[in-house]
């Protein structure tokens, strides 16, 4: 079993998702979506290589994978015995472009 670390950008994105659900619906909705995301992230914690491989060549070559939590995509990478969660984004958004831009920043 791997350790799970939600990095700061992904933590901020998770908080923004919870706030959005809180503002648009109710506290129960925010709790449900965060629970769903955490439950989904427990899968790579147990089976780190079980996530989907990203189609983008740069992301794929860097070992990034993703899991789907409802309408959200959680991007992670296994490094040694730790699963690092890099980003959480709504699947309907332009996440490939956003993630590509973020990957360039990480490599600077």
């Amino acid at each position: 079993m791997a350790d799970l670390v939600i990095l700061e950008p992904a933590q901020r994105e998770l908080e923004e998702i919870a706030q959005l659900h809180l503002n648009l619906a109710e506290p129960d909705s925010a709790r449900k979506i965060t629970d769903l995301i955490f439950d989904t992230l427990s899968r790579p914690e147990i089976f780190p290589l079980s996530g989907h491989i990203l189609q983008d060549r740069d992301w794929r070559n860097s070992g990034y994978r993703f899991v789907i939590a409802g309408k959200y995509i959680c991007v992670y990478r296994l490094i040694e015995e730790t699963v690092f969660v890099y980003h959480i984004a709504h699947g309907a958004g332009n996440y490939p472009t956003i993630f590509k831009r973020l990957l360039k920043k990480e490599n600077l």
Side-chain angles (χ1 to χ4, degrees), residues 9-104:
Q11 184 63 43
R12 277 193 314 269
E13 292 161 348
L14 183 58
E15 291 168 6
E16 290 169 6
I17 291 165
Q19 189 63 49
L20 178 68
H21 280 259
L22 183 65
N23 292 342
L24 295 177
E26 57 186 39
D28 193 44
S29 175
R31 190 173 16 267
K32 284 180 183 177
I33 193 60
T34 54
D35 286 349
L36 174 64
I37 291 170
F38 282 122
D39 288 346
T40 301
L41 288 173
S42 70
R43 189 176 29 196
E45 189 176 16
I46 298 167
F47 304 105
L49 300 177
S50 65
H52 303 282
I53 297 171
L54 290 155
Q55 296 300 314
D56 181 88
R57 186 184 74 233
D58 294 331
W59 284 86
R60 184 178 58 244
N61 292 341
S62 297
Y64 288 93
R65 295 176 172 268
F66 71 95
V67 290
I68 299 170
K71 296 179 181 181
Y72 295 92
I73 295 172
C74 307
V75 177
Y76 72 93
R77 182 167 53 165
L78 176 66
I79 300 174
E80 296 179 12
E81 296 296 316
T82 304
V83 171
F84 291 94
V85 180
Y86 286 80
H87 301 289
I88 303 169
H90 195 283
N94 191 6
Y95 65 90
T97 301
I98 294 167
F99 289 161
K100 194 151 187 107
R101 205 173 316 131
L102 292 169
L103 181 61
K104 286 180 183 178

